[in-house]
Amino acid sequence: MSRLFELIGDGERLNQRMHIKLWIADNAVGIFGGRNLGDEYFDAGADAEFRDIDLLAVGPLVPELSQAFDEYWNNQWAVPVASLLDVVPGTGDGHLAWSKVDESDAGATGTERGRELAVNDSHRPWMQANRPLIWASATVLYDRPAAPALADSHFTHLGPRARTILDSARSEIILITPYFVPSEQEMKFLAEASTRGLRVAVLTNSLASTDALSVHAGYARYRATLLRGGIELFEVRPQAGAAHVRRLHKWIRPSGSSLHAKVLIVDRSTAFVGSMNFDPRSRTYNTELSVAVESPELASRLALLFDEVVEPDHSFRVLLRNPQPGDDALVWITEEQGDEVRYESEPMAGFWKRVWSGVLSIIVPERLL
């Protein structure tokens, strides 16, 4: 029998939000990453789509993932959703709900995405037992539902443990994140890594592609500082050419795409994939889960994806317009119809989107971004 639980908070953690995304089947197969359950995360949305990255795991890692689930399921703040209802649904309500699910499922076959899946066999290899896998050592890292005073400890919070992975970098740090609002400490760390000769590159959403104007406003405050620290900044364009779509197997679609993947790649040998964004909300209020995979093969594949996405025909390279101190004006460089194009204000975003982003940057506290 399935049950539905909801995590609630107490006192200071009343705003805590469980942000973990995890599928486990028979304690034998697990899927983790940044993807939520919703049409827009599975190419079935009517409007915008979120482009994500997930990993499928088998072997000893799966019981570790199950342990994370069990810890939340058995936590004192996880309560049955039924206990929050005025009227507990009966058996008839359950049958009605499932009939609506069946109706929705039947109706989906007539949608564009449904027709595409019906004639496209790209998903079928995942159903086969002989699907080739990458065998590697991996470690599950997750936030534990604990008191705020313990939030910075290695035992209760994955942030410090992720920092240990970053400290091991010797040549390159690649960060893919939809929401990037670095702390002062993080900016200092990245700048110091660049000073030591490491390449530090970040891919995030542009104002035109983001679904969170307030978070982008927080990120925009630090672009000039990051660039002066030697960090490379790339922002996803809201549109991409058809050739690019074919090359990336539709990871970026021709319209309405918003980056939602959360990936950290160190030296193209270790990949850190999961639900954690690099913003104050993930650091402070969210509970997150990520997996560190020590695999040059996997890390190189993810890095290759990054390399393709940051090409100038489908991303903006953000640079300082004038490298002289005191001038924080930016320029966005991209490619349109084979020619280099330079923008001196937020490109492809529209007047009102720029205005709202500016307003939100003033009124929204950074700790809530």
Side-chain angles (χ1 to χ4, degrees), residues 181-199:
V181 185
S183 66
E184 183 176 338
Q185 183 180 9
E186 287 168 343
M187 286 194 293
K188 180 180 178 181
F189 173 85
L190 294 176
E192 289 177 347
S194 177
T195 300
R196 297 199 310 270
L198 278 71
R199 182 200 183 198

Side-chain angles (χ1 to χ4, degrees), residues 311-330:
E311 289 179 0
D313 60 337
H314 48 270
S315 284
F316 303 109
R317 174 74 185 271
V318 186
L319 298 171
L320 289 166
R321 187 170 61 187
N322 183 355
Q324 297 301 317
D327 186 353
D328 290 344
L330 305 178

Side-chain angles (χ1 to χ4, degrees), residues 165-173 193 196-199 266-267:
I165 296 171
L166 281 171
D167 284 337
S168 70
R170 294 294 177 267
S171 61
E172 183 182 54
I173 296 172
R196 297 199 310 270
L198 278 71
R199 182 200 183 198
V266 175
D267 295 342

Side-chain angles (χ1 to χ4, degrees), residues 6-270:
E6 178 174 306
L7 190 70
I8 62 175
D10 69 315
E12 293 181 59
R13 292 177 71 85
L14 184 60
N15 292 322
Q16 183 190 45
R17 182 179 64 166
M18 189 172 68
H19 195 241
I20 295 170
K21 300 92 166 51
L22 180 62
W23 283 77
I24 302 170
D26 295 337
N27 211 29
V29 178
I31 298 175
F32 56 89
R35 193 183 310 269
N36 295 308
L37 289 182
D39 287 352
E40 60 270 31
Y41 294 91
F42 293 88
D43 298 338
D47 299 312
E49 301 289 348
F50 290 107
R51 314 316 305 160
D52 234 309
I53 290 177
D54 305 299
L55 295 184
L56 180 146
V58 299
L61 187 70
V62 180
E64 293 185 39
L65 294 170
S66 293
Q67 180 180 339
F69 173 86
D70 291 341
E71 190 160 341
Y72 279 84
W73 182 266
N74 295 314
N75 186 266
Q76 61 177 324
W77 299 115
V79 300
V81 170
S83 69
L84 305 177
L85 302 177
D86 294 331
V87 178
V88 179
T91 303
D93 296 307
H95 291 319
L96 178 61
W98 280 115
S99 67
K100 290 183 178 180
V101 170
D102 292 338
E103 290 177 9
S104 177
D105 184 46
T109 60
T111 65
E112 179 181 355
R113 179 59 173 159
R115 290 190 293 270
E116 179 182 334
L117 288 174
V119 299
N120 187 343
D121 290 335
S122 62
H123 65 289
R124 299 194 185 282
W126 294 107
M127 308 300 291
Q128 299 173 358
N130 62 347
R131 176 73 182 183
L133 298 173
I134 297 173
W135 296 99
S137 175
T139 303
V140 178
L141 307 173
Y142 63 94
D143 293 329
R144 289 174 165 83
L150 301 177
D152 292 330
S153 77
H154 281 68
F155 177 73
T156 62
H157 201 64
L158 70 81
R161 300 167 76 185
R163 171 64 185 267
T164 301
I165 296 171
L166 281 171
D167 284 337
S168 70
R170 294 294 177 267
S171 61
E172 183 182 54
I173 296 172
I174 293 175
L175 177 61
I176 304 172
T177 179
Y179 314 120
F180 183 48
V181 185
S183 66
E184 183 176 338
Q185 183 180 9
E186 287 168 343
M187 286 194 293
K188 180 180 178 181
F189 173 85
L190 294 176
E192 289 177 347
S194 177
T195 300
R196 297 199 310 270
L198 278 71
R199 182 200 183 198
V200 182
V202 177
L203 173 67
T204 189
N205 277 307
S206 63
L207 178 59
S209 67
T210 188
D211 68 314
L213 293 182
S214 59
V215 178
H216 187 276
Y219 151 70
R221 300 169 186 165
Y222 301 113
R223 283 185 294 205
T225 301
L226 289 163
L227 291 169
R228 293 195 186 284
I231 288 85
E232 299 176 24
L233 291 182
F234 300 90
E235 297 178 358
V236 172
R237 277 174 49 170
Q239 295 183 343
H244 167 68
V245 173
R246 289 193 295 271
R247 185 168 69 252
L248 293 184
H249 306 289
K250 297 188 178 180
W251 195 65
I252 295 292
R253 292 174 68 85
S255 63
S257 292
S258 183
L259 179 69
H260 197 257
K262 305 96 164 50
V263 180
L264 174 64
I265 306 165
V266 175
D267 295 342
R268 305 201 176 209
S269 61
T270 300

